[in-house]
Amino acid sequence: MAVNYLYSRGIDNKIINRFGLGYSLNEWDALLKHLKSKGYSENDMIIAGLLIKSDKGIYDRFRNRIMFPIFDVKGRVIAFGGRVLDDSKPKYLNTSETLIFEKGKNLYGLNYVVKNRNIDNIIVVEGYMDCIKLHQYGLNNVVASLGTALTIEHAKLLKRYTNNIYICYDADAAGQAATLRGIEILESMGLNVKVIIVPSGKDPDEFVKNYGIDAFKKLIENALFITDYRLLKAKEGKNIKNQFDKVKYVNEAIDIISKLRDDVLIQHYSENLSDETGISLNIIIDKINKNRTNITSKNNNSNIRNNIKGNIYNLVPANKKAEAYVLSILLHNPSLYEKVFSNIKPEEFLTDVYKELAYDLYYKIPKIEDIDKEYYLNKYQEQEKIEDIARVFSYSLDEPANVENIMYDAIKTIKRFYLENKINSLKNEIKQCEQQNDIHKSLQLMQNLIELQKELDKI
């Protein structure tokens, strides 16, 4: 019966043997008798959490359950978990904590994960079956948190093996609440965290059974960064077309964004929030500034205070930073000009000042003409343009070996923004054509849009 139950859940013999799955007989003293015959005392079994002592006597803790041995990281059995074969409660039962077993310090399946030579990331799920099923389908980087909330000790344990963690808890309310708590714990240890969203209220085990492993791998690819996940949860259940829901969502979102320390990310999420809700970007930024000021004043720790930057009206968009960086590289390392010229064109710079400077540098550097810094610093009158041009000449660059790597990353950023800008313009053109019922031109533009999207996907 127990084996048939596992088969019905899609678990095969290979994984049953690998994880040592078993069955506890539907008797009150089967284990007690067996271990006594092996020379163990009742007290040993009680201490190990295998027996329960009550007014009614001593009896087996686990009866008529699928048994999951729990291993430490070295592969030694330190405890057991048991699952009922029907819908009776409690659904899962673990060995009580002992000298060698603490739920908050162990992760189910970690002993198999650490056998991998290169652990790029670890996926944390809630249940034994989720963990086992994903291992069966070839995902050997999955652990389960033994039915308890993630702890600092769990985070420290994970950090020994990787800095990249995916959380994939059940899609029900309890699972999502546990996800938010887990994010805070993992984030506090400096881990990079993403959240895998399992749709339709299913757990990973059910999802893989119904839709297959390739569909689950797609969920991994689409995993959300923690800020995106928090914003998703803040928006959940709210209708932003309703003014009260919109105000509530915007305020919650601003609280989330205010806690970020990276100015570029703050700018990014602020712009998204403004586009999404129609609330002025200036209003959003102003409120974030006030929030951050309050955070600073409430926190007496100088290190944290130093990490919270000032007014984000001075934030620089990612594309502008990237453009300034590439131009600064050309000024400091003209020997790299061929690598820059072959990968990015001046017309791909979106910032007017940088586009002009790019055309100049692309013309002058190959001819070994002097670059007059003062000329460029005095060329513009508007405050924003003066700040833009000064940024190019004030960048402090890293060692040459690192400069080249960052240069290519910056070029990718420039190209991505350039293509996204063209795509957005094309979409607006297509809308106008559709409104004017110009189907022929609309189809031509649509083909151009597809080609641009392909280019963007390659970056």
Side-chain angles (χ1 to χ4, degrees), residues 3-14:
V3 173
N4 288 336
Y5 170 80
L6 291 171
Y7 289 163
S8 73
R9 295 291 299 269
I11 304 299
D12 62 28
N13 286 328
K14 184 178 178 181

Side-chain angles (χ1 to χ4, degrees), residues 276-422:
E276 182 183 17
T277 62
I279 302 295
S280 163
L281 179 60
N282 286 347
I283 291 173
I284 291 170
I285 287 176
D286 186 49
K287 188 152 189 182
I288 289 172
N289 285 332
K290 289 176 182 176
N291 279 11
R292 298 177 94 196
T293 301
N294 290 338
I295 292 170
T296 303
S297 63
K298 287 177 183 177
N299 199 318
N300 294 321
N301 185 308
S302 60
N303 289 330
I304 294 177
R305 183 160 55 245
N306 289 336
N307 283 330
I308 297 175
K309 307 272 177 75
N311 194 316
I312 66 168
Y313 281 120
N314 297 322
L315 290 178
V316 182
N319 71 299
K320 188 176 276 193
K321 277 190 175 182
E323 291 171 9
Y325 196 91
V326 169
L327 294 173
S328 189
I329 285 173
L330 283 174
L331 289 168
H332 289 84
N333 301 277
S335 61
L336 291 173
Y337 83 89
E338 287 186 357
K339 291 181 178 178
V340 175
F341 291 4
S342 62
N343 282 280
I344 191 82
K345 297 180 179 68
E347 57 264 31
E348 293 177 279
F349 288 74
L350 294 181
T351 309
D352 291 339
V353 170
Y354 296 152
K355 186 179 292 186
E356 290 177 24
L357 181 57
Y359 274 114
D360 277 0
L361 296 185
Y362 277 45
Y363 176 78
K364 290 181 176 181
I365 289 175
K367 295 186 174 186
I368 321 179
E369 291 188 18
D370 288 337
I371 308 298
D372 186 350
K373 175 181 175 181
E374 294 304 317
Y375 166 77
Y376 289 103
L377 290 175
N378 294 318
K379 183 177 180 180
Y380 303 100
Q381 303 303 315
E382 300 94 329
Q383 182 64 30
E384 184 179 353
K385 290 185 177 182
I386 292 170
E387 290 176 359
D388 287 341
I389 202 70
R391 190 174 296 112
V392 174
F393 291 97
S394 64
Y395 260 132
S396 175
L397 300 179
D398 298 326
E399 292 300 314
N402 198 32
V403 162
E404 201 164 324
N405 291 332
I406 299 176
M407 177 191 77
Y408 285 121
D409 286 342
I411 287 172
K412 285 182 181 179
T413 298
I414 296 169
K415 294 182 83 69
R416 188 174 70 251
F417 273 83
Y418 171 72
L419 288 170
E420 287 174 348
N421 192 57
K422 287 193 74 173

Side-chain angles (χ1 to χ4, degrees), residues 228 231 267-277 281 284:
D228 294 296
L231 291 171
Q267 184 79 20
H268 166 75
Y269 285 112
S270 298
E271 289 174 354
N272 284 356
L273 184 62
S274 177
D275 291 342
E276 182 183 17
T277 62
L281 179 60
I284 291 170

